[in-house]
């Protein structure tokens, strides 16, 4: 039975607010072993509206974690346990915009025929529905908006360790910043290991302990590159972070840069310095590392050092002094 004295929360100005936090009317069957002193079993049913933290018509509610126990005061021995109900969405793409194929987010609009679109697509299309040419962009689709409010989806990086479940419309934002984005082993010709950057670092230490040049942040170390060589893997001694010294042979010389193997969501670059010397001449580059989830054969359009062919040694090798910084600045005295 409805309790008319309960005050219901108000809606938005247009009369349509978010999904009600109150549970809907439940019809609950209870079974009692004794009624009026009789040992016969009987089954009765009753229905009522309830609020999880209020008393309703002699019914007492106790909230225990994710399940709720209701005790009837007239018969303290009978209890009813209500567990959350799960809904399976077999095709999550129904919650994507039919025009741009991106996850829908409020507000969602519909035309007179019920075709839906996100607000940005309505503007791009001049408020003309591409399916039936009716106007679209003025009628809200409240049903879909309320589904979006309650829909949760797991991150696509679940198998790499991410345990986040986010709102359906927020999945792209989360995955852009997810630290569990898969990274591949830089020794891709002989190893196809793919995992989060943290697990990749452990894998490299365990499976390829002699395949990287070890270094310390803020300290200068020397690397020899073959003119035709493609890359050298660098691994920091303390945090096991992996970097790749990319090398590409061009007509004018070699293009060399440093990238870090890690999720592209990380915006923090590591300052690095490269310097090549020969016969009293030197070329130097100061730049920031870019993150890459796999080794890139092509160097970036900026942030690389062009080493002229005159810097090649007698064995067609290039000798570089390298410093990768974790702090703000590398000591310049290293390169004096």
């Amino acid at each position: 039975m409805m309790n008319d004295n309960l005050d219901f929360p108000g809606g938005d100005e247009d009369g349509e607010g978010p999904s009600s936090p109150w549970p809907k009317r439940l019809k609950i069957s209870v079974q009692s072993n004794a009624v009026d002193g009789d040992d016969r079993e009987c089954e009765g049913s009753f229905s009522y509206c309830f609020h999880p933290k209020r008393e309703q018509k002699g019914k007492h509610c106790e909230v225990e974690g994710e399940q709720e126990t209701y005790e009837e005061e007239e018969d303290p021995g009978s209890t009813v346990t209500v567990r959350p109900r799960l809904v399976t969405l077999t095709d999550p793409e129904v919650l994507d915009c039919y025009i741009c194929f991106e996850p829908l987010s409020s507000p969602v609009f519909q035309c007179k025929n019920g075709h839906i679109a996100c607000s940005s697509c309505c503007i791009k299309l001049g408020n003309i529905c591409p399916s039936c040419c009716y106007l679209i962009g003025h009628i809200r689709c409240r049903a879909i908006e309320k589904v979006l409010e309650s829909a949760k989806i797991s991150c696509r990086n679940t198998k790499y360790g991410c345990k986040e479940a986010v709102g359906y419309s927020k999945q792209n934002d989360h995955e852009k910043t997810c630290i569990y984005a898969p990274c591949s082993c830089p020794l891709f010709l002989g190893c196809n290991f793919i995992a989060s950057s943290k697990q990749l670092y452990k894998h490299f230490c365990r499976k390829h302990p002699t395949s990287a040049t070890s270094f310390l942040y803020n300290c200068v170390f020397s690397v020899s590159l073959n003119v035709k060589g493609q890359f050298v893997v660098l691994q920091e001694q303390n945090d096991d972070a992996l970097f790749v010294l990319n090398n590409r042979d061009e007509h004018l010389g070699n293009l060399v840069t440093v990238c870090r193997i890690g999720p592209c969501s990380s915006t923090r670059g590591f300052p690095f310095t490269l310097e090549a010397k020969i016969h009293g001449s030197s070329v130097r580059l100061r730049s920031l590392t870019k993150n890459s989830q796999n080794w890139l054969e092509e160097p970036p359009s900026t942030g690389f050092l062009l080493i002229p062919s005159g810097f090649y040694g007698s064995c067609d090798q290039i000798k570089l002094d390298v410093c990768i910084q974790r702090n703000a600045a590398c000591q310049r005295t290293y390169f004096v």
Side-chain angles (χ1 to χ4, degrees), residues 24 27-28 31 52 61 98 124 141 149 151 167 176 181-182 187 193 204 213 255 287 311 313:
K24 296 181 179 179
K27 185 160 186 173
I28 304 175
Q31 185 170 351
C61 167
Y98 300 158
K124 293 176 182 177
C141 185
E149 288 177 18
K176 288 177 182 178
L187 302 180
F193 183 83
F204 205 88
T213 298
L255 303 182
S287 187
F311 280 74

Side-chain angles (χ1 to χ4, degrees), residues 31-58:
Q31 185 170 351
S32 176
N33 292 329
V35 178
D36 296 333
D38 193 346
D39 292 337
R40 293 174 301 169
E41 293 185 357
C42 66
E43 183 176 351
S45 64
F46 60 89
S47 62
Y48 60 90
C49 278
F50 66 93
H51 188 282
K53 294 184 179 179
R54 298 193 184 189
E55 293 184 3
Q56 296 279 334
K57 294 294 183 181

Side-chain angles (χ1 to χ4, degrees), residues 275-320:
E275 185 174 25
K277 299 178 182 179
I278 191 169
H279 304 314
S281 299
S282 65
V283 289
R284 182 186 299 178
L285 169 72
R286 294 181 184 274
S287 187
L288 293 174
T289 61
K290 302 291 179 62
N291 273 19
S292 175
Q293 291 174 222
N294 47 48
W295 174 73
L296 299 176
E297 182 180 357
E298 297 288 336
S301 57
T302 59
F304 60 85
L305 175 65
L306 174 61
I307 303 177
S309 56
F311 280 74
Y312 303 163
S314 58
C315 299
D316 281 343
Q317 284 193 331
I318 305 169
K319 291 188 177 180
L320 285 173

Side-chain angles (χ1 to χ4, degrees), residues 89-268:
L89 193 62
T90 58
D91 183 13
E93 292 184 0
V94 299
L95 299 181
D96 292 345
C97 176
Y98 300 158
I99 301 170
C100 66
F101 304 107
E102 293 294 326
L104 288 167
S105 59
S106 297
V108 179
F109 295 97
Q110 65 180 17
C111 69
K112 290 172 62 177
N113 283 330
H115 303 125
I116 62 175
C118 63
S119 57
S120 60
C121 283
C122 291
I123 297 174
K124 293 176 182 177
L125 296 171
N127 297 107
I128 301 298
C129 177
S131 299
C132 61
C133 296
Y134 274 107
L135 288 176
I136 190 171
H138 303 289
I139 304 174
R140 298 274 291 274
C141 185
R142 301 288 182 176
I144 289 294
E145 288 182 3
K146 291 183 177 182
V147 170
L148 291 172
E149 288 177 18
S150 59
K152 299 286 185 181
I153 188 170
S154 59
C155 176
R156 68 178 62 190
N157 299 323
T158 298
K159 64 179 180 179
Y160 300 116
C162 184
K163 295 180 173 59
E164 289 288 333
V166 296
Y168 190 83
S169 60
K170 302 294 184 183
Q171 58 179 305
N172 286 347
D173 293 337
H174 166 74
E175 288 167 4
K176 288 177 182 178
T177 59
C178 182
I179 62 174
Y180 293 93
C183 300
S184 59
C185 181
L187 302 180
F188 63 94
L189 294 178
C191 182
N192 58 0
F193 183 83
I194 299 176
S196 65
S197 58
K198 184 177 180 180
Q199 293 302 319
L200 176 61
Y201 300 162
K202 293 180 179 179
H203 156 83
F204 205 88
C205 290
R206 186 173 61 253
K207 296 296 184 179
H208 314 292
T210 61
S211 299
T213 298
S214 181
F215 75 96
L216 290 170
Y217 289 126
N218 301 330
C219 294
V220 176
F221 59 98
S222 296
V223 175
S224 294
L225 287 174
N226 292 323
V227 173
K228 301 296 184 181
Q230 292 182 318
F231 67 98
V232 174
V233 179
L234 312 173
Q235 188 161 34
E236 214 279 333
Q237 294 181 20
N238 293 324
D239 66 7
D240 296 328
L242 289 174
F243 295 81
V244 175
L245 186 68
N246 287 325
N247 176 36
R248 175 163 176 164
D249 181 25
E250 294 289 348
H251 177 67
L252 295 177
N254 285 62
L255 303 182
V256 182
T257 189
V258 178
C259 70
R260 177 177 177 264
I261 301 297
C264 295
S265 59
S266 177
T267 58
R268 184 173 68 93

